[in-house]
């Protein structure tokens, strides 16, 4: 089998956040799933190989979604005039309860995986539900679709409806079993998932922290998404210094931790997150929909916080990460004009695109999956070809075509999906 493949196109990526890098009419040489180099023409030693033309549009690194709830795919858009806690109670928990039924999971999760792929998110970090078997079905569905992912069985042992509430022992055992049973699946790995502090007792969080440390597993949760949640956490954990300290105190905050939202943090909490080298996942779609607030993305970027971007479907209303890129930019612009006294800055399109590709890719790299997220030699060749179908007479530059796609495009404009050198 020939392991070398050549692709021709106009390649755009963001190896750094400050600007888009455009390489027109380039040839990508891909060997064993990784980019060997990007050349101006086909090198002589490869001249006998066919060149696959990715078209007149642009080729970009495929998207990575660092925070998405698979069981909420079907509720996307429903009940979004509510605030977080009412939305959880009235829409989300009832929707998630249905995944006790494995047939339901078998019917729905392949649809989620197919849509994730179609929208160009070829790697993702995904929440299931509290149900062990259904969440294994989710992992299998992602694997079967050819995607790479981390999947978490959700843990909740308090403040949840009876049919989703586990005992601390059952919750821990379920997670332990889930993580072990996923060992057979190659491209889908487990992630320890205490849903958020209000749903977990101290006993459970402590056990989950130990599980993550013992099996060297990553952790995901929600942090400081709304003010009422922050207040609730301070009532539930009166002896803890802060919301962030709750996770830290139970061994859930470290270099392999993803904390979604992180809107309402004190300076001390931001320092703690940075000290622990944890990653904050910005989910602008969800934050706007649930009127939660606006994360100070520009400030976090300038401080050097590890950052990622997530769709947070179903509080977010689309799996298309190109939409989250735009929402991150728009939210930052609104924060700047609405709170001029706080000296916020607008985040640029290249910075937001960087987060959805390179920035999110760092999490996979840190977990030992090898580098990804841009077209650099040695990186996994993960790509989408985009065609906005401009008439030739328009003469739109590749960069303007990408901007146009990010703002106005959708899955109809994604023509090719490539993950680790394999066309999906
Ligand atoms: N906090 C706890 N659970 C959830 C969830 O499912 N979605 C969001 N956006 N926030 C949460
Ligand atoms: Fe979420």
């Amino acid at each position: 089998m020939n392991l070398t493949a050549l692709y021709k196109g106009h390649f755009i990526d963001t190896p750094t956040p400050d600007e888009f890098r455009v390489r027109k009419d380039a040839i990508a040489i891909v060997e064993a799933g990784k980019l060997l180099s990007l050349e101006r023409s086909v090198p002589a030693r490869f001249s006998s190989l066919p060149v696959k033309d990715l078209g007149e549009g642009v080729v970009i690194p495929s998207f990575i979604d660092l925070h998405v709830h698979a069981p909420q795919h079907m509720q996307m858009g429903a009940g979004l005039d509510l605030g977080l806690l009412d939305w959880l109670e009235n829409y989300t928990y009832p929707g998630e309860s249905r995944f006790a039924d494995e047939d339901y999971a078998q019917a729905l999760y392949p649809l989620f995986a197919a849509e994730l792929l179609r929208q160009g998110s070829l790697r993702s970090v995904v929440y299931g539900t509290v149900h062990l078997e259904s969440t294994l079905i989710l992992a299998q569905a992602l694997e079967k679709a050819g995607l790479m992912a981390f999947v978490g069985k959700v843990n909740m042992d308090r403040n949840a409806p009876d049919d989703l509430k586990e005992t601390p022992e059952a919750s821990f055992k379920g997670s332990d079993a889930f993580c072990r049973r996923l060992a057979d699946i190659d491209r889908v790995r487990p992630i320890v998932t205490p849903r958020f502090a209000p749903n977990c007792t101290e006993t459970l969080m402590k056990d989950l922290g130990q599980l993550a440390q013992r099996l060297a597993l990553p952790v995901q949760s929600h942090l400081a998404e709304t003010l009422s949640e922050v207040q609730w956490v301070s009532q539930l954990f009166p002896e803890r210094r802060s919301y962030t300290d709750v996770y830290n105190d139970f061994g859930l905050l470290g270099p392999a931790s993803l904390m979604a939202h992180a809107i309402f943090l004190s300076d001390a909490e931001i320092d703690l997150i940075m000290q622990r080298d944890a990653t904050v996942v910005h989910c602008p779609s969800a934050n706007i929909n649930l009127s939660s607030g606006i994360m100070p993305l520009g400030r976090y970027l300038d401080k050097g916080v590890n950052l990622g971007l997530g769709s947070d479907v179903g509080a977010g209303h689309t799996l298309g990460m190109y939409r989250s890129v735009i929402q991150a930019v728009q939210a930052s612009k609104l924060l700047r004009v609405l709170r001029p006294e706080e000296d916020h800055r607008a985040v640029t399109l290249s910075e937001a695109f960087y987060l959805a590709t390179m920035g999110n890719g760092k999490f996979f790299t840190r977990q030992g999956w090898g580098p990804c997220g841009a077209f650099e030699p040695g990186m996994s060749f993960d790509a989408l070809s985009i065609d906005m179908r401009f008439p030739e007479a328009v003469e739109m530059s590749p960069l303007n075509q990408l901007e146009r796609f990010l703002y106005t495009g959708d899955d109809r404009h994604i023509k090719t999906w490539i993950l680790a050198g394999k066309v999906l």
Side-chain angles (χ1 to χ4, degrees):
M1 190 171 81
N2 197 328
L3 287 175
T4 308
L6 307 187
Y7 295 96
K8 175 177 179 297
H10 307 310
F11 291 81
I12 306 185
D13 64 352
T14 42
T16 64
D18 5 297
E19 62 182 355
F20 286 105
R21 171 172 64 176
V22 182
R23 287 171 291 179
K24 264 189 96 171
D25 289 316
I27 306 286
I29 301 167
V30 178
E31 218 158 56
K34 292 187 184 144
L35 183 71
L36 194 64
S37 62
L38 211 65
E39 306 282 351
R40 286 170 173 273
S41 56
V42 179
R45 66 188 167 117
F46 297 120
S47 58
S48 62
L49 295 180
V51 177
K52 182 168 166 53
D53 191 345
L54 291 175
E56 275 313 297
V58 294
V59 185
I60 60 173
S62 57
F63 292 113
I64 301 171
D65 189 342
L66 225 53
H67 183 93
V68 57
H69 298 259
Q72 297 172 21
H73 178 219
M74 287 298 148
Q75 87 183 58
M76 231 167 23
L80 292 175
D81 288 338
L82 297 175
L84 171 68
L85 302 176
D86 289 334
W87 170 82
L88 284 172
E89 203 175 304
N90 291 292
Y91 284 86
T92 307
Y93 294 153
E96 292 191 11
S97 295
R98 299 200 58 190
F99 287 85
D101 175 358
E102 288 157 40
D103 291 338
Y104 188 70
Q106 286 286 9
L108 290 195
Y109 281 147
L111 302 179
F112 167 76
E115 187 62 12
L116 200 60
L117 194 168
R118 210 159 70 106
Q119 296 292 348
S121 291
L122 306 188
R123 296 174 188 245
S124 54
V125 184
V126 187
Y127 283 63
T129 57
V130 295
H131 312 100
L132 168 62
E133 297 299 333
S134 284
T135 307
L136 284 165
I137 290 169
L138 167 61
Q140 284 153 2
L142 291 163
E143 159 97 349
K144 212 166 161 197
L147 300 170
M148 292 187 188
F150 285 89
V151 175
K153 176 219 159 305
V154 169
N155 295 279
M156 298 198 258
D157 69 343
R158 65 164 162 176
N159 295 318
D162 287 344
D163 59 345
L164 289 178
K165 191 160 52 195
E166 309 161 290
T167 63
E169 301 75 39
S171 189
F172 171 76
K173 275 195 186 151
S175 272
D176 187 74
F178 176 76
C179 295
R180 289 173 200 284
R181 283 176 64 187
L182 260 198
D184 316 337
I185 299 190
D186 200 26
R187 291 173 144 204
V188 179
R189 311 298 321 153
I191 181 164
V192 175
T193 307
R195 184 180 202 122
F196 68 157
N199 281 141
C200 299
T201 58
E202 299 207 351
T203 309
L204 177 58
M205 281 199 281
K206 189 158 137 262
D207 288 347
L208 293 176
Q210 282 170 0
L211 176 71
Q213 266 152 31
R214 188 156 34 86
L215 301 180
L217 292 175
V219 173
Q220 62 179 348
S221 195
H222 297 86
L223 171 65
E225 178 178 2
T226 70
L227 282 172
S228 42
E229 167 204 355
V230 172
Q231 266 165 14
W232 193 19
V233 169
S234 67
Q235 286 159 11
L236 291 169
F237 300 89
E239 66 284 19
R240 305 285 159 195
R241 286 227 305 256
S242 70
Y243 196 162
T244 306
D245 277 282
V246 171
Y247 294 127
N248 190 51
D249 288 355
F250 297 111
L252 294 165
L253 191 74
S257 304
L258 296 176
M259 290 290 151
H261 307 295
I263 300 175
F264 302 100
L265 296 182
S266 65
D267 288 345
E269 289 180 276
I270 297 166
D271 288 346
L272 178 58
I273 287 170
M274 292 184 72
Q275 211 179 57
R276 303 290 295 132
D277 204 14
T279 297
V280 161
V281 187
H282 183 32
C283 302
S285 179
N287 299 156
I288 298 165
N289 286 333
L290 297 177
S291 309
S292 302
I294 303 179
M295 194 190 89
L297 177 59
R299 182 170 299 168
Y300 289 178
L301 280 168
D302 296 343
K303 259 185 141 322
V305 178
N306 298 329
L307 282 161
L309 194 63
S311 70
D312 199 15
V313 157
H317 62 278
T318 163
L319 286 173
M321 284 299 291
Y322 45 89
R323 289 276 178 276
S324 289
V325 166
I326 298 307
Q327 283 151 344
V329 169
Q330 290 178 326
S332 75
K333 290 176 179 172
L334 283 173
L335 188 61
R336 186 181 54 146
V337 296
L338 293 174
R339 303 224 296 263
E341 70 286 358
E342 289 181 12
D343 209 20
H344 293 287
R345 74 167 174 89
V347 167
T348 64
L349 190 62
S350 70
E351 285 177 312
F353 184 82
Y354 172 91
L355 290 181
T357 53
M358 271 292 284
N360 285 354
K362 283 184 186 170
F363 178 74
F364 283 79
T365 307
R366 280 175 167 220
Q367 295 306 310
W369 295 50
C372 63
F375 299 126
E376 291 279 23
M379 281 192 173
S380 179
F381 188 67
D382 302 350
L384 305 174
S385 78
I386 308 291
D387 187 354
M388 292 300 287
R389 296 177 175 277
F390 283 107
E392 226 173 283
V394 174
E395 291 183 23
M396 187 74 90
S397 73
L399 181 54
N400 291 156
Q401 288 191 49
L402 173 58
E403 291 167 335
R404 171 92 166 210
F405 167 69
L406 293 172
Y407 274 93
T408 75
D410 57 46
D411 54 291
R412 288 170 302 173
H413 304 111
I414 305 176
K415 302 297 176 188
T416 317
W417 299 258
I418 303 172
L419 181 61
K422 183 169 176 242
V423 178
L424 299 179

